[in-house]
Amino acid sequence: MAENFNEAERAAVYKAIMLRRDIRRQFEPTPIPRDVLARILSAAHHAGSVGFMQPWDFILVEDRETRQRVLESFLRERERSANFYEGERRELYLSLKLEGILESPLNLCVTCDRTRGGPHVLGRSTILETDLYSTCCAIQNLWLAGRVEGIGVGWVSIVDPSQLATILGLPDHVVPVAYLCLGYVREFPAAPELARAGWRQRLLLSELIHSNRWGNPADGKWE
Amino acid sequence: MAENFNEAERAAVYKAIMLRRDIRRQFEPTPIPRDVLARILSAAHHAGSVGFMQPWDFILVEDRETRQRVLESFLRERERSANFYEGERRELYLSLKLEGILESPLNLCVTCDRTRGGPHVLGRSTILETDLYSTCCAIQNLWLAGRVEGIGVGWVSIVDPSQLATILGLPDHVVPVAYLCLGYVREFPAAPELARAGWRQRLLLSELIHSNRWGNPADGKWE
């Protein structure tokens, strides 16, 4: 028998999905209790993975010096990226808060071991990247679990993966997929930070749905 | 103020995460009502994305002929992959049910438009793959939303992406990230299919957690 979800449970899951945010500010310094962290990591570990590969690892970064080095990599990359923008757009870019590396009580690097499960992982022979895809599914589980625990998660994507690999001592076959900042937050913003800042707005879902073939509109109401 | 989750809501989210399964059999032919499908796709659309890029599109594949062509691509790839295994392992591989392309009432291809948001997407200058990563986060939202609606989702990873792109008419800049089968299911298995079949078991979470640096064990209780 299918274990079903009642209306309240269904609503709770949609609530978590809709209220999840990428957090870069207002982290509380309060440490995350071990049992809460264990629940969040267990949520990640229960994502599906190609061939049940479970290619993920979790590196808990609390050490101040390590974080300082990651922050320096971020600052270099941010400066480099700023050159892509001009005028007001550049000013807006530089005014955005894009990471909480030192303010958050915990940094977490989620990696993907590309050799786990041996040379022939079931279902991974055609699309090699499916191990990375599985790792991202685990990250989304972690993000949602964090949200219901009152813990904000921010994904720092402006960081050089090869520098990160050096800082964290990753072997060659292990890729750093996400560098995350975690901590309790005073406030989860009502809308994504970049929408609030006027950087970019949410697209209409109905324009992203196709019927049978790319470019064929799917009729009906979607919003 | 942070909108908090009470204990029952928290439990519901963990329940969805733990009971989500990759489904390849026992799809009911019942069509998925439009409002339910809209909720599931909206859940996907509310994933975070690098630079609020929202690079995903959703192609609803109901057409029988299109599905037949995808199935043929799957069968070719499965045969090719079978050569990686020998003896009992090969027999087990060939006995596994790995897709529900024709049995499920709906196939869904989730794609990633690698040009969306222009040439310089905020936060994507260092790691170009972050758009694919965001798309996978959307897929995990969809998977969890499906679960609470009683709808099974199965990810068919054994399919040639270039053939899929041809079949679905994708432009060159759009990558098919996941080909999914969706439908109501009679039963969500208690454990992942590959664990039940004896193919591979769940790893110990505690062996996947490192402290500050790769290979440094993180003390304490994690399971």
Side-chain angles (χ1 to χ4, degrees):
Chain A
M1 263 296 295
E3 175 134 22
N4 290 326
F5 285 72
N6 65 34
E7 209 176 303
E9 291 173 318
R10 246 195 325 267
V13 171
Y14 282 116
K15 178 177 164 184
I17 286 171
M18 297 301 167
L19 299 185
R20 183 210 52 78
R21 289 288 168 271
D22 197 322
I23 299 295
R24 286 96 188 268
R25 60 177 81 241
Q26 297 189 311
F27 283 110
E28 305 266 4
T30 330
I32 301 172
R34 178 60 64 110
D35 60 330
V36 177
L37 186 56
R39 284 202 292 274
I40 293 176
L41 295 176
S42 179
H45 187 44
H46 279 77
S49 58
V50 63
F52 207 22
M53 187 180 177
Q54 309 162 71
W56 42 71
D57 280 83
F58 308 97
I59 306 177
L60 310 174
V61 185
E62 291 169 297
D63 180 55
R64 196 88 190 162
E65 200 190 308
T66 306
R67 294 209 234 174
Q68 187 63 47
R69 291 178 66 194
V70 175
L71 179 63
E72 283 158 16
S73 172
F74 164 82
L75 290 171
R76 276 191 298 272
E77 290 300 318
R78 191 183 71 140
E79 198 168 300
R80 201 174 61 78
S81 302
N83 295 326
F84 296 138
Y85 308 109
E86 285 178 2
E88 276 181 31
R89 196 77 172 161
R90 183 184 157 92
E91 271 172 54
L92 178 54
Y93 175 77
L94 287 171
S95 75
L96 292 169
K97 171 95 173 118
L98 297 175
E99 52 73 40
I101 295 170
L102 295 182
E103 304 92 296
S104 61
L106 180 69
N107 291 186
L108 170 63
C109 185
V110 184
T111 62
C112 176
D113 180 344
R114 310 212 63 182
T115 64
R116 189 161 294 160
H120 299 300
V121 170
L122 187 152
R124 197 187 155 223
S125 52
T126 315
I127 308 175
L128 266 185
E129 296 76 19
T130 42
D131 56 348
L132 298 168
Y133 296 174
S134 301
T135 304
C136 296
C137 289
I139 293 165
Q140 186 66 10
N141 271 2
L142 181 154
W143 218 330
L144 294 170
R147 182 61 188 89
V148 300
E149 300 283 1
I151 290 168
V153 175
W155 185 322
V156 184
S157 60
I158 304 176
V159 62
D160 185 303
S162 66
Q163 286 172 18
L164 203 50
T166 303
I167 296 167
L168 300 177
L170 303 184
D172 286 346
H173 60 281
V174 174
V175 173
V177 175
Y179 194 85
L180 308 172
C181 301
L182 275 77
Y184 289 101
V185 286
R186 278 185 288 281
E187 192 187 359
F188 286 84
E193 202 75 42
L194 293 179
R196 281 154 48 107
W199 184 267
R200 186 169 161 85
Q201 300 305 317
R202 197 178 299 281
L203 303 174
L204 272 177
L205 175 58
S206 56
E207 294 176 1
L208 305 175
I209 303 178
H210 311 243
S211 178
N212 289 310
R213 219 184 138 74
W214 181 269
N216 238 9
D219 299 333
K221 195 172 164 295
W222 293 104
E223 309 294 333
Chain B
M1 265 296 295
E3 174 133 23
N4 291 326
F5 285 72
N6 65 35
E7 210 176 304
E9 290 173 318
R10 246 194 325 269
V13 171
Y14 282 115
K15 178 178 166 185
I17 286 171
M18 298 301 167
L19 300 184
R20 183 209 51 78
R21 289 288 169 271
D22 197 322
I23 299 295
R24 285 96 188 266
R25 59 177 81 243
Q26 297 189 310
F27 284 110
E28 305 265 3
T30 331
I32 301 172
R34 178 60 64 110
D35 59 330
V36 176
L37 186 56
R39 285 202 293 273
I40 293 175
L41 294 177
S42 179
H45 187 44
H46 279 77
S49 58
V50 63
F52 208 23
M53 188 182 177
Q54 308 161 71
W56 42 71
D57 280 83
F58 307 96
I59 307 177
L60 310 174
V61 184
E62 292 169 297
D63 181 55
R64 195 90 189 160
E65 200 191 308
T66 305
R67 295 210 234 172
Q68 188 65 47
R69 292 178 65 194
V70 175
L71 178 63
E72 283 157 15
S73 172
F74 163 82
L75 290 171
R76 276 191 299 272
E77 290 300 317
R78 191 182 72 141
E79 200 168 298
R80 201 174 61 78
S81 303
N83 295 326
F84 296 138
Y85 309 109
E86 285 179 2
E88 276 182 30
R89 196 77 173 160
R90 182 185 157 91
E91 271 173 53
L92 178 55
Y93 175 77
L94 288 170
S95 76
L96 292 168
K97 171 95 172 118
L98 297 174
E99 53 72 40
I101 295 170
L102 294 183
E103 305 93 297
S104 61
L106 180 70
N107 291 186
L108 170 64
C109 185
V110 184
T111 62
C112 176
D113 180 345
R114 310 212 65 183
T115 63
R116 189 161 293 159
H120 299 300
V121 169
L122 188 153
R124 198 186 155 224
S125 51
T126 315
I127 310 175
L128 265 185
E129 296 76 19
T130 41
D131 56 348
L132 298 168
Y133 296 174
S134 301
T135 304
C136 295
C137 290
I139 293 165
Q140 186 65 11
N141 270 3
L142 181 154
W143 218 331
L144 294 170
R147 182 60 187 88
V148 302
E149 301 282 1
I151 290 168
V153 176
W155 185 322
V156 184
S157 60
I158 304 176
V159 62
D160 185 303
S162 65
Q163 286 172 19
L164 203 51
T166 303
I167 296 168
L168 300 177
L170 303 184
D172 285 345
H173 60 281
V174 174
V175 172
V177 175
Y179 195 84
L180 308 172
C181 302
L182 275 77
Y184 289 101
V185 286
R186 277 185 289 279
E187 193 187 0
F188 286 85
E193 202 75 41
L194 293 180
R196 282 153 47 108
W199 183 268
R200 186 170 162 84
Q201 300 305 317
R202 195 178 300 281
L203 303 174
L204 272 177
L205 175 57
S206 56
E207 294 175 1
L208 305 174
I209 303 179
H210 312 243
S211 177
N212 289 311
R213 220 184 138 74
W214 182 268
N216 238 8
D219 299 332
K221 196 173 164 294
W222 294 105
E223 310 293 333

